[in-house]
Amino acid sequence: MSRKTALVTYGKFIIPTWGHDKLVQKMCLEAHGRSMYCFATTTSSWKEKHLARAYPSLNFHLTTLNLFEIAQILYAQGYSDLVLYVGSDRVDWENKLKQYNWRKTLVQNDVSYCFHSINVKCVGDRENSISSTQMREFVQNQKFFEFRKNLSYHLRQKDEYVQDIWDDVFSHLVTCHKLTN
């Protein structure tokens, strides 16, 4: 039986930044024809639009599933190996995923996933990156230039994309009462 590898990234991707660009670029460079999956947790209704603009060549899957459930699905689809691309703050996910590899689930008394290998590739130091929290702070403090320069490359190239995501973040902050209109 031939082995089949799934390359995966998983996260919130609330506001696509240049840090996310590094993650996606590394995965794409190492794909060499292997299947790539980008999973974004569903936290906002406007996320899909911005991800499609930021990464037009990739298909992001919006999901409510956790990483273990995604691993189960990929294993059920016939993948024998899993490579997860993360920032430095998520490297510990390798141990967590391996902890449940070859284990039986309590509910179905079935093995949840049995990958031959599970590897996590760190694409960069979170300390030198930008967070969605910092991006929201730029909006709160009306620092449009700082917000723009930290967006994903494809987003910051078009004024309409920058304004659209700025407006969405601003509206979200108003709705959450973190900012007054």
Side-chain angles (χ1 to χ4, degrees):
M1 183 176 120
S2 67
R3 290 172 61 166
K4 210 168 112 176
T5 302
L7 284 71
V8 175
T9 189
Y10 172 87
K12 293 178 186 173
F13 293 92
I14 296 170
I15 303 169
T17 67
W18 59 265
H20 294 117
D21 288 353
K22 287 173 52 178
L23 185 76
V24 169
Q25 287 167 0
K26 176 83 168 168
M27 188 171 69
C28 290
L29 284 172
E30 295 183 358
H32 305 292
R34 296 179 290 180
S35 300
M36 294 186 301
Y37 294 92
C38 302
F39 294 98
T41 58
T42 52
T43 55
S44 61
S45 59
W46 41 265
K47 184 185 291 191
E48 189 170 21
K49 167 181 63 175
H50 299 305
L51 286 172
R53 289 173 174 173
Y55 310 107
S57 63
L58 291 176
N59 184 15
F60 268 84
H61 303 277
L62 295 183
T63 185
T64 58
L65 300 175
N66 65 43
L67 191 54
F68 303 104
E69 293 166 324
I70 290 168
Q72 288 176 319
I73 290 168
L74 292 171
Y75 177 73
Q77 290 178 353
Y79 290 96
S80 57
D81 300 273
L82 178 68
V83 180
L84 180 66
Y85 291 81
V86 299
S88 63
D89 59 329
R90 304 284 192 259
V91 173
D92 64 330
W93 285 1
E94 183 170 4
N95 291 331
K96 292 175 183 175
L97 282 167
K98 286 181 176 179
Q99 181 181 350
Y100 293 98
N101 201 29
W102 296 88
R103 284 181 103 175
K104 292 186 180 231
T105 60
L106 298 175
V107 178
Q108 301 170 338
N109 198 25
D110 190 18
V111 176
S112 55
Y113 53 87
C114 304
F115 292 107
H116 288 285
S117 68
I118 297 173
N119 294 298
V120 170
K121 299 234 179 166
C122 178
V123 299
D125 186 2
R126 176 72 183 236
E127 297 300 317
N128 296 325
S129 191
I130 188 86
S131 71
S132 289
T133 300
Q134 290 168 298
M135 294 295 280
R136 286 189 298 273
E137 287 172 358
F138 292 146
V139 174
Q140 285 176 312
N141 297 317
Q142 298 294 308
K143 293 185 176 182
F144 187 82
F145 176 77
E146 292 296 318
F147 180 83
R148 180 185 196 126
K149 81 174 187 180
N150 285 290
L151 281 174
S152 169
Y153 175 80
H154 287 290
L155 289 177
R156 71 176 174 261
Q157 296 307 306
K158 292 196 175 183
D159 292 340
E160 68 182 88
Y161 291 175
V162 176
Q163 190 63 56
D164 193 29
I165 194 167
W166 173 275
D167 292 344
D168 284 341
V169 173
F170 184 87
S171 295
H172 172 74
L173 291 170
V174 169
T175 302
C176 293
H177 307 294
K178 295 181 180 177
L179 194 63
T180 54
N181 203 354

